[in-house]
CSV table of all heavy atoms in Angstrom, one decimal:
chain,number,residue,atom,x,y,z
A,116,LEU,N,-15.4,16.8,11.6
A,116,LEU,CA,-16.8,16.8,11.4
A,116,LEU,C,-17.3,16.2,10.1
A,116,LEU,O,-18.3,15.6,10.0
A,116,LEU,CB,-17.3,18.2,11.6
A,116,LEU,CG,-17.2,18.8,13.0
A,116,LEU,CD1,-17.5,20.3,13.0
A,116,LEU,CD2,-18.0,18.1,14.0
A,117,GLU,N,-16.5,16.5,9.0
A,117,GLU,CA,-16.9,16.0,7.7
A,117,GLU,C,-16.8,14.4,7.8
A,117,GLU,O,-17.7,13.7,7.2
A,117,GLU,CB,-15.9,16.5,6.7
A,117,GLU,CG,-16.1,15.9,5.3
A,117,GLU,CD,-15.0,16.2,4.3
A,117,GLU,OE1,-14.0,16.8,4.7
A,117,GLU,OE2,-15.1,15.8,3.1
A,118,LEU,N,-15.8,13.9,8.4
A,118,LEU,CA,-15.6,12.5,8.5
A,118,LEU,C,-16.7,11.9,9.4
A,118,LEU,O,-17.3,10.8,9.1
A,118,LEU,CB,-14.2,12.2,9.1
A,118,LEU,CG,-13.8,10.8,9.3
A,118,LEU,CD1,-13.8,10.0,7.9
A,118,LEU,CD2,-12.4,10.7,9.9
A,119,LEU,N,-17.0,12.5,10.5
A,119,LEU,CA,-18.1,12.0,11.4
A,119,LEU,C,-19.4,12.0,10.6
A,119,LEU,O,-20.2,11.1,10.7
A,119,LEU,CB,-18.2,12.9,12.6
A,119,LEU,CG,-19.3,12.6,13.6
A,119,LEU,CD1,-19.2,11.2,14.1
A,119,LEU,CD2,-19.3,13.6,14.7
A,120,ARG,N,-19.7,13.1,9.9
A,120,ARG,CA,-21.0,13.1,9.1
A,120,ARG,C,-21.1,12.0,8.1
A,120,ARG,O,-22.1,11.3,8.0
A,120,ARG,CB,-21.1,14.5,8.4
A,120,ARG,CG,-22.3,14.6,7.5
A,120,ARG,CD,-22.6,16.1,7.1
A,120,ARG,NE,-21.4,16.8,6.7
A,120,ARG,CZ,-20.8,16.7,5.5
A,120,ARG,NH1,-21.4,15.9,4.6
A,120,ARG,NH2,-19.7,17.4,5.2
A,121,ALA,N,-20.0,11.7,7.4
A,121,ALA,CA,-20.0,10.6,6.4
A,121,ALA,C,-20.1,9.3,7.1
A,121,ALA,O,-20.8,8.4,6.6
A,121,ALA,CB,-18.7,10.7,5.6
A,122,ALA,N,-19.4,9.2,8.3
A,122,ALA,CA,-19.5,7.9,9.0
A,122,ALA,C,-20.9,7.6,9.5
A,122,ALA,O,-21.4,6.5,9.4
A,122,ALA,CB,-18.5,8.0,10.2
A,123,LEU,N,-21.6,8.6,10.0
A,123,LEU,CA,-22.9,8.4,10.5
A,123,LEU,C,-23.9,8.0,9.4
A,123,LEU,O,-24.7,7.1,9.6
A,123,LEU,CB,-23.4,9.7,11.2
A,123,LEU,CG,-22.8,10.1,12.5
A,123,LEU,CD1,-23.2,11.6,12.9
A,123,LEU,CD2,-23.3,9.2,13.6
A,124,THR,N,-23.7,8.6,8.3
A,124,THR,CA,-24.5,8.2,7.1
A,124,THR,C,-24.3,6.8,6.7
A,124,THR,O,-25.2,6.1,6.2
A,124,THR,CB,-24.2,9.1,5.9
A,124,THR,OG1,-24.4,10.5,6.3
A,124,THR,CG2,-25.1,8.8,4.7
A,125,ASP,N,-23.1,6.3,7.0
A,125,ASP,CA,-22.8,4.9,6.6
A,125,ASP,C,-22.9,3.9,7.8
A,125,ASP,O,-22.4,2.8,7.7
A,125,ASP,CB,-21.3,4.9,6.1
A,125,ASP,CG,-21.1,3.8,5.0
A,125,ASP,OD1,-22.1,3.1,4.6
A,125,ASP,OD2,-20.0,3.6,4.5
A,126,GLY,N,-23.4,4.4,8.9
A,126,GLY,CA,-23.7,3.5,10.1
A,126,GLY,C,-22.6,3.4,11.1
A,126,GLY,O,-22.5,2.5,11.9
A,127,PHE,N,-21.6,4.4,11.1
A,127,PHE,CA,-20.5,4.4,12.0
A,127,PHE,C,-20.5,5.7,12.8
A,127,PHE,O,-21.1,6.7,12.4
A,127,PHE,CB,-19.2,4.2,11.3
A,127,PHE,CG,-19.0,2.8,10.8
A,127,PHE,CD1,-19.5,2.4,9.6
A,127,PHE,CD2,-18.2,1.9,11.6
A,127,PHE,CE1,-19.3,1.2,9.1
A,127,PHE,CE2,-18.0,0.6,11.1
A,127,PHE,CZ,-18.6,0.2,9.9
A,128,THR,N,-19.8,5.7,13.9
A,128,THR,CA,-19.5,7.0,14.6
A,128,THR,C,-18.1,6.9,15.2
A,128,THR,O,-17.4,5.9,14.9
A,128,THR,CB,-20.5,7.1,15.8
A,128,THR,OG1,-20.3,8.4,16.4
A,128,THR,CG2,-20.4,6.0,16.8
A,129,THR,N,-17.7,7.9,16.0
A,129,THR,CA,-16.4,7.8,16.6
A,129,THR,C,-16.6,7.9,18.1
A,129,THR,O,-17.5,8.5,18.6
A,129,THR,CB,-15.5,9.0,16.2
A,129,THR,OG1,-16.1,10.2,16.4
A,129,THR,CG2,-15.1,8.9,14.7
A,130,LYS,N,-15.7,7.2,18.8
A,130,LYS,CA,-15.8,7.1,20.3
A,130,LYS,C,-15.5,8.4,21.0
A,130,LYS,O,-15.9,8.6,22.1
A,130,LYS,CB,-14.9,6.0,20.8
A,130,LYS,CG,-15.1,4.6,20.4
A,130,LYS,CD,-14.0,3.7,20.9
A,130,LYS,CE,-14.2,2.3,20.4
A,130,LYS,NZ,-13.1,1.4,20.9
A,131,ASP,N,-14.6,9.2,20.3
A,131,ASP,CA,-14.2,10.4,20.9
A,131,ASP,C,-14.1,11.5,19.9
A,131,ASP,O,-14.2,11.3,18.7
A,131,ASP,CB,-12.8,10.2,21.7
A,131,ASP,CG,-11.8,9.6,20.8
A,131,ASP,OD1,-11.6,10.0,19.6
A,131,ASP,OD2,-11.0,8.7,21.3
A,132,GLY,N,-13.8,12.7,20.4
A,132,GLY,CA,-13.7,13.9,19.5
A,132,GLY,C,-12.5,14.7,19.7
A,132,GLY,O,-12.5,15.9,19.5
A,133,SER,N,-11.4,14.1,20.2
A,133,SER,CA,-10.2,14.8,20.5
A,133,SER,C,-9.5,15.4,19.3
A,133,SER,O,-9.4,14.8,18.3
A,133,SER,CB,-9.3,13.9,21.3
A,133,SER,OG,-8.0,14.5,21.6
A,134,ALA,N,-9.0,16.6,19.5
A,134,ALA,CA,-8.1,17.2,18.5
A,134,ALA,C,-6.9,16.4,18.2
A,134,ALA,O,-6.3,16.5,17.1
A,134,ALA,CB,-7.8,18.7,18.9
A,135,TYR,N,-6.4,15.6,19.2
A,135,TYR,CA,-5.3,14.8,19.1
A,135,TYR,C,-5.5,13.7,18.1
A,135,TYR,O,-4.5,12.9,17.8
A,135,TYR,CB,-4.8,14.3,20.4
A,135,TYR,CG,-4.3,15.3,21.4
A,135,TYR,CD1,-5.2,15.9,22.3
A,135,TYR,CD2,-3.0,15.7,21.4
A,135,TYR,CE1,-4.7,16.9,23.1
A,135,TYR,CE2,-2.5,16.7,22.2
A,135,TYR,CZ,-3.4,17.3,23.1
A,135,TYR,OH,-2.9,18.3,24.0
A,136,ASN,N,-6.7,13.4,17.6
A,136,ASN,CA,-7.0,12.4,16.7
A,136,ASN,C,-6.5,12.8,15.3
A,136,ASN,O,-6.7,12.0,14.3
A,136,ASN,CB,-8.5,12.1,16.6
A,136,ASN,CG,-8.9,11.3,17.8
A,136,ASN,OD1,-8.1,10.9,18.6
A,136,ASN,ND2,-10.2,11.1,17.9
A,137,LEU,N,-6.0,14.0,15.1
A,137,LEU,CA,-5.6,14.5,13.8
A,137,LEU,C,-4.2,14.9,13.8
A,137,LEU,O,-3.6,15.3,14.9
A,137,LEU,CB,-6.5,15.7,13.4
A,137,LEU,CG,-7.9,15.3,13.1
A,137,LEU,CD1,-8.8,15.9,14.1
A,137,LEU,CD2,-8.4,15.8,11.7
A,138,GLN,N,-3.5,14.7,12.7
A,138,GLN,CA,-2.1,15.2,12.5
A,138,GLN,C,-2.1,15.9,11.1
A,138,GLN,O,-3.1,16.2,10.5
A,138,GLN,CB,-1.2,14.0,12.6
A,138,GLN,CG,-0.9,13.5,14.0
A,138,GLN,CD,-0.3,14.5,14.9
A,138,GLN,OE1,0.6,15.3,14.4
A,138,GLN,NE2,-0.6,14.6,16.1
A,139,TRP,N,-0.8,16.1,10.6
A,139,TRP,CA,-0.6,16.9,9.4
A,139,TRP,C,0.4,16.2,8.5
A,139,TRP,O,1.4,15.7,8.9
A,139,TRP,CB,-0.2,18.3,9.8
A,139,TRP,CG,-1.2,19.0,10.6
A,139,TRP,CD1,-1.3,19.0,12.0
A,139,TRP,CD2,-2.2,19.9,10.1
A,139,TRP,NE1,-2.4,19.8,12.3
A,139,TRP,CE2,-2.9,20.3,11.2
A,139,TRP,CE3,-2.6,20.3,8.8
A,139,TRP,CZ2,-4.0,21.2,11.1
A,139,TRP,CZ3,-3.6,21.1,8.7
A,139,TRP,CH2,-4.4,21.6,9.8
A,140,ARG,N,0.1,16.3,7.2
A,140,ARG,CA,1.1,16.2,6.2
A,140,ARG,C,1.3,17.6,5.6
A,140,ARG,O,0.5,18.0,4.7
A,140,ARG,CB,0.6,15.2,5.1
A,140,ARG,CG,0.2,13.8,5.5
A,140,ARG,CD,0.0,13.0,4.2
A,140,ARG,NE,-0.7,11.8,4.5
A,140,ARG,CZ,-2.1,11.6,4.4
A,140,ARG,NH1,-2.8,12.7,4.1
A,140,ARG,NH2,-2.6,10.5,4.6
A,141,GLY,N,2.3,18.3,6.1
A,141,GLY,CA,2.4,19.7,5.7
A,141,GLY,C,1.2,20.5,6.1
A,141,GLY,O,0.8,20.5,7.3
A,142,ALA,N,0.6,21.1,5.1
A,142,ALA,CA,-0.6,21.9,5.4
A,142,ALA,C,-1.9,21.2,5.2
A,142,ALA,O,-2.9,21.8,4.9
A,142,ALA,CB,-0.5,23.2,4.6
A,143,GLU,N,-1.8,19.8,5.2
A,143,GLU,CA,-3.0,19.0,4.9
A,143,GLU,C,-3.3,18.2,6.2
A,143,GLU,O,-2.5,17.3,6.6
A,143,GLU,CB,-2.6,18.1,3.8
A,143,GLU,CG,-3.7,17.1,3.4
A,143,GLU,CD,-3.2,16.1,2.3
A,143,GLU,OE1,-2.4,15.2,2.6
A,143,GLU,OE2,-3.6,16.3,1.2
A,144,PRO,N,-4.5,18.4,6.8
A,144,PRO,CA,-4.8,17.6,8.0
A,144,PRO,C,-5.2,16.2,7.6
A,144,PRO,O,-5.6,15.9,6.5
A,144,PRO,CB,-6.1,18.3,8.5
A,144,PRO,CG,-6.7,19.0,7.4
A,144,PRO,CD,-5.5,19.4,6.5
A,145,VAL,N,-4.9,15.2,8.5
A,145,VAL,CA,-5.2,13.8,8.3
A,145,VAL,C,-5.7,13.2,9.6
A,145,VAL,O,-5.1,13.5,10.7
A,145,VAL,CB,-4.0,13.1,7.7
A,145,VAL,CG1,-2.8,13.3,8.6
A,145,VAL,CG2,-4.3,11.6,7.5
A,146,PHE,N,-6.8,12.4,9.6
A,146,PHE,CA,-7.3,11.7,10.7
A,146,PHE,C,-6.5,10.5,10.9
A,146,PHE,O,-6.3,9.7,10.0
A,146,PHE,CB,-8.8,11.4,10.5
A,146,PHE,CG,-9.5,10.9,11.7
A,146,PHE,CD1,-10.1,11.8,12.6
A,146,PHE,CD2,-9.6,9.6,12.0
A,146,PHE,CE1,-10.8,11.4,13.7
A,146,PHE,CE2,-10.2,9.1,13.2
A,146,PHE,CZ,-10.8,10.0,14.0
A,147,ILE,N,-6.0,10.2,12.2
A,147,ILE,CA,-5.2,9.1,12.4
A,147,ILE,C,-5.7,8.0,13.4
A,147,ILE,O,-5.2,6.9,13.4
A,147,ILE,CB,-3.8,9.5,13.0
A,147,ILE,CG1,-4.0,10.2,14.4
A,147,ILE,CG2,-3.1,10.5,12.0
A,147,ILE,CD1,-2.7,10.4,15.1
A,148,ASP,N,-6.8,8.3,14.1
A,148,ASP,CA,-7.2,7.4,15.2
A,148,ASP,C,-8.2,6.4,14.6
A,148,ASP,O,-9.5,6.5,14.8
A,148,ASP,CB,-7.8,8.1,16.3
A,148,ASP,CG,-8.1,7.2,17.5
A,148,ASP,OD1,-7.6,6.0,17.5
A,148,ASP,OD2,-8.7,7.7,18.5
A,149,ILE,N,-7.7,5.4,13.9
A,149,ILE,CA,-8.6,4.4,13.2
A,149,ILE,C,-9.4,3.6,14.3
A,149,ILE,O,-10.5,3.2,14.1
A,149,ILE,CB,-7.8,3.4,12.3
A,149,ILE,CG1,-6.9,4.2,11.4
A,149,ILE,CG2,-8.7,2.5,11.6
A,149,ILE,CD1,-7.7,5.2,10.5
A,150,GLY,N,-8.8,3.4,15.4
A,150,GLY,CA,-9.4,2.7,16.5
A,150,GLY,C,-10.6,3.4,17.1
A,150,GLY,O,-11.3,2.8,17.9
A,151,SER,N,-10.8,4.6,16.7
A,151,SER,CA,-11.9,5.4,17.3
A,151,SER,C,-13.3,5.1,16.7
A,151,SER,O,-14.3,5.3,17.2
A,151,SER,CB,-11.7,6.9,17.1
A,151,SER,OG,-12.7,7.7,17.6
A,152,PHE,N,-13.3,4.4,15.5
A,152,PHE,CA,-14.5,4.2,14.8
A,152,PHE,C,-15.2,2.9,15.4
A,152,PHE,O,-14.6,1.9,15.7
A,152,PHE,CB,-14.3,3.9,13.3
A,152,PHE,CG,-13.8,5.1,12.5
A,152,PHE,CD1,-12.5,5.3,12.2
A,152,PHE,CD2,-14.8,6.1,12.1
A,152,PHE,CE1,-12.1,6.4,11.5
A,152,PHE,CE2,-14.4,7.2,11.4
A,152,PHE,CZ,-13.0,7.4,11.1
A,153,GLU,N,-16.5,3.0,15.4
A,153,GLU,CA,-17.4,1.9,15.9
A,153,GLU,C,-18.8,2.1,15.3
A,153,GLU,O,-19.1,3.2,14.9
A,153,GLU,CB,-17.5,1.8,17.4
A,153,GLU,CG,-18.1,3.0,18.0
A,153,GLU,CD,-18.2,2.9,19.5
A,153,GLU,OE1,-17.8,1.9,20.1
A,153,GLU,OE2,-18.8,3.8,20.2
Side-chain angles (χ1 to χ4, degrees):
L116 293 170
E117 177 192 4
L118 183 58
L119 176 60
R120 176 167 44 82
L123 288 169
T124 303
D125 212 5
F127 287 84
T128 185
T129 55
K130 298 177 185 178
D131 52 43
S133 174
Y135 292 92
N136 287 354
L137 293 109
Q138 284 296 324
W139 297 86
R140 301 187 196 94
E143 177 185 77
V145 54
F146 190 90
I147 64 168
D148 191 7
I149 306 305
S151 178
F152 290 102
E153 64 179 0

